[in-house]
Amino acid sequence: MIAQQMQAHHGKDYLNTATCVTPHAGSLCAHLSAQYFGEDHGMEAYQLFSPGIIYGLTNDLGIELHSHFTRTAAHSYLEALALETRYSFFAEHSELQHADESPNPFSLAASVEFEQGMEEHPNILESRLIFGKELGIIAMVGNVIVLKEFEEGQHAQIRFAVGMRTNFTQTIGLSVELLNGNHHSNGSQLGLSCSVSPMKKIDLQFGMNVTSMNNETNISSLQAMMMYSF
């Protein structure tokens, strides 16, 4: 019941993996994500900032607008603007139902995101099929991701992401994620994050991603995100 009660209504329960949750109709949420990438094989360190807003068009359909700003030691620039829509086909249970009364064996949703690249960043189209399941105090989610970069010679990629989350108290939770690459990092990644809700309308997450590639394992990025629900 703790995992069920603590799931946020904005769908940003993980730093990298999407969930089946969509915001209530008419609800608005603002978020800011900051990510630090260290020096890697000759590439300089940089920071990525992603402010955005999420709005519930209906109880099952949400829309998100966000941007990506990159900052290096030399300069800062707008990397991309993105629009995402997410639709929840059905949920494992409603907010007022106990998990044992679930009408569906799992939750199912899908999302489509188009990213308009700036500078030399390519345009990207990403779609996800999202599955969710609660097992007692543990909530699990899986993503099947199809990613297409509109750049010469680039083919569509199929990627996967899975996440597991549990809550120790009403305000503190822990998440573990596994990914086989994302927009900014290749290789298999393990994500670890801690979430804190100091106030009713504010959610904070802090974490890191560990990447394994070419027989090397290192901390590829540090990440933090703040959510504010109006």
Side-chain angles (χ1 to χ4, degrees):
M1 286 299 293
I2 294 177
Q4 175 183 339
Q5 292 170 357
M6 283 300 297
Q7 278 202 338
H9 298 303
H10 42 62
K12 295 282 189 180
D13 299 308
Y14 300 87
L15 291 174
N16 304 288
T17 311
T19 73
C20 297
V21 179
T22 54
H24 297 311
S27 63
L28 179 67
C29 180
H31 64 84
L32 174 62
S33 175
Q35 198 165 5
Y36 172 79
F37 295 85
E39 295 184 11
D40 183 28
H41 295 91
M43 293 184 61
E44 63 179 332
Y46 67 96
Q47 299 91 45
L48 179 66
F49 300 94
S50 301
I53 57 173
I54 304 171
Y55 182 73
L57 296 174
T58 71
N59 286 337
D60 298 319
L61 178 63
I63 186 170
E64 177 181 345
L65 293 168
H66 66 265
S67 57
H68 299 298
F69 291 90
T70 298
R71 180 178 180 272
T72 68
H75 68 295
S76 301
Y77 59 93
L78 174 62
E79 181 180 288
L81 296 172
L83 171 66
E84 176 191 323
T85 59
R86 187 179 309 184
Y87 184 78
S88 176
F89 295 101
F90 56 80
E92 187 177 352
H93 53 71
S94 70
E95 295 177 27
L96 301 178
Q97 283 180 312
H98 190 277
D100 294 338
E101 302 171 350
S102 302
N104 303 304
F106 56 88
S107 299
L108 178 65
S111 69
V112 177
E113 177 184 333
F114 178 74
E115 187 172 292
Q116 176 66 53
M118 307 292 180
E119 299 278 335
E120 298 180 355
H121 190 72
N123 296 338
I124 297 174
L125 181 65
E126 178 187 283
S127 60
R128 298 188 184 218
L129 187 61
I130 309 166
F131 303 89
K133 178 65 178 178
E134 291 182 11
L135 300 172
I137 63 172
I138 297 176
M140 302 184 68
V141 66
N143 294 180
V144 179
I145 307 165
V146 179
L147 180 72
K148 170 61 177 176
E149 293 187 9
F150 293 93
E151 195 172 43
E152 187 176 353
Q154 292 292 331
H155 301 285
Q157 305 173 41
I158 298 179
R159 294 178 173 176
F160 304 93
V162 294
M164 182 176 66
R165 174 183 169 92
T166 188
N167 295 287
F168 299 109
T169 70
Q170 289 290 319
T171 58
I172 300 175
L174 179 66
S175 299
V176 179
E177 301 173 72
L178 290 173
L179 310 92
N180 63 333
N182 59 30
H183 290 189
H184 289 263
S185 300
N186 294 316
S188 300
Q189 297 180 49
L190 171 66
L192 302 172
S193 62
C194 178
S195 60
V196 181
S197 298
M199 300 174 61
K200 183 178 180 180
K201 294 186 176 183
I202 297 178
D203 297 313
L204 304 174
Q205 292 191 60
F206 307 92
M208 66 178 182
N209 293 315
V210 178
T211 299
S212 177
M213 187 173 62
N214 299 327
N215 296 320
E216 293 184 9
T217 300
N218 54 68
I219 297 177
S220 56
S221 66
L222 302 175
Q223 195 168 355
M225 181 167 59
M226 180 178 70
M227 310 289 302
Y228 183 85
S229 301
F230 292 92

